[in-house]
Amino acid sequence: MKISVIIPTLNEEESIGLVLDKIPRDPRYEWEIIIVDGDSKDRTREIAEEKGAKVIVEKRKGYGRAYKTGFDAATGDIIVTMDGDDTYPAEKVVELVEHLLTNNLDFVSCERFSLMKKGAMSLTHKVGNTILTWSTRLLFGVKIKDSQSGMWVFRREILKDLKLTSDGMPFSEEIKIEAWRKFKCEEVPIEY
């Protein structure tokens, strides 16, 4: 089984090497690490390549655009996403993949609030995330605790059945709304 890890970046030279080092390359799986870089002006791409990642420069702007580009390039059976700023627990990738497989799930979204470290998110971001999550619950009937999480684990085969249109930040909600409506999904708490 092959795992594709997709990480969008923009000027992440201070953290991308650490993030890539934390991803456990469990030999039971084949690994593909894809960096979708928004034309960084620092050493992000160089560091990622030194660490063995495939780097794709995506000059079209947007969080969702970066993920769509990464999804098109991914060849793994399982796709894992996270940010390049070392806020998500990259060391938990194998554990999350095994949770997906053991529980016969199609999509896992990582929920940040239950185990969030003090000071990891500003009050403004907490309030904004709460409002957006409750809006997702109310408007779309998707019962999740964290609609804005950027760490997901899912079977690549479901992409063909997801209608993903946003190129911006709403992509995070959109992919969850689509997945929860059509597939077996679950939220898993992570440290943030």
Side-chain angles (χ1 to χ4, degrees):
M1 178 164 292
K2 186 174 186 180
I3 300 171
S4 296
V5 180
I6 301 173
I7 304 173
T9 58
L10 182 60
N11 300 322
E12 307 278 3
E13 72 178 2
E14 292 183 17
S15 56
I16 193 61
L18 183 60
V19 171
L20 295 174
D21 286 345
K22 286 183 178 180
I23 299 169
R25 307 311 199 282
D26 187 313
R28 294 175 295 164
Y29 303 104
E30 184 180 348
W31 292 88
E32 172 181 65
I33 313 295
I34 300 172
I35 301 297
V36 182
D37 186 72
D39 201 19
S40 290
K41 302 304 180 202
D42 63 6
R43 295 184 59 245
T44 300
R45 293 190 301 268
E46 182 182 328
I47 293 166
E49 287 173 346
E50 287 171 4
K51 299 284 183 180
K54 174 182 179 181
V55 176
I56 301 168
V57 176
E58 176 52 86
K59 292 189 178 188
R60 294 173 289 179
K61 298 300 177 201
Y63 183 76
R65 178 70 262 157
Y67 275 123
K68 289 179 193 175
T69 298
F71 295 165
D72 286 344
T75 60
D77 306 289
I78 304 294
I79 293 177
V80 178
T81 68
M82 71 183 76
D83 294 346
D85 62 0
D86 196 30
T87 52
Y88 292 100
E91 65 276 6
K92 299 286 187 182
V93 167
V94 173
E95 184 179 316
L96 292 164
V97 167
E98 290 177 352
H99 181 83
L100 177 100
L101 298 172
T102 301
N103 293 286
N104 198 29
L105 298 168
D106 299 303
F107 191 100
V108 169
S109 184
C110 296
E111 181 264 314
R112 302 170 291 174
F113 294 99
S114 297
L115 303 175
M116 185 180 293
K117 293 180 180 178
K118 188 175 180 176
M121 187 182 292
S122 71
L123 179 60
T124 303
H125 283 112
K126 283 182 187 175
V127 171
N129 275 291
T130 301
I131 291 168
L132 290 168
T133 296
W134 277 102
S135 298
T136 300
R137 291 173 66 102
L138 181 66
L139 296 173
F140 300 100
V142 176
K143 292 186 168 89
I144 57 177
K145 296 178 183 177
D146 186 2
S147 70
Q148 300 304 302
S149 172
M151 189 171 193
W152 323 307
V153 179
F154 62 93
R155 297 175 191 272
R156 184 170 61 106
E157 66 192 26
I158 73 169
L159 282 172
K160 67 185 183 319
D161 296 315
L162 300 180
K163 184 179 177 188
L164 303 171
T165 59
S166 177
D167 281 347
M169 286 306 292
F171 185 85
S172 185
E173 286 173 307
E174 183 180 54
I175 195 168
K176 294 174 190 84
I177 292 165
E178 283 285 301
W180 252 260
R181 286 179 169 172
K182 299 173 181 175
F183 297 101
K184 190 174 177 186
C185 305
E186 187 177 298
E187 265 188 314
V188 174
I190 56 161
E191 287 188 4
Y192 181 76

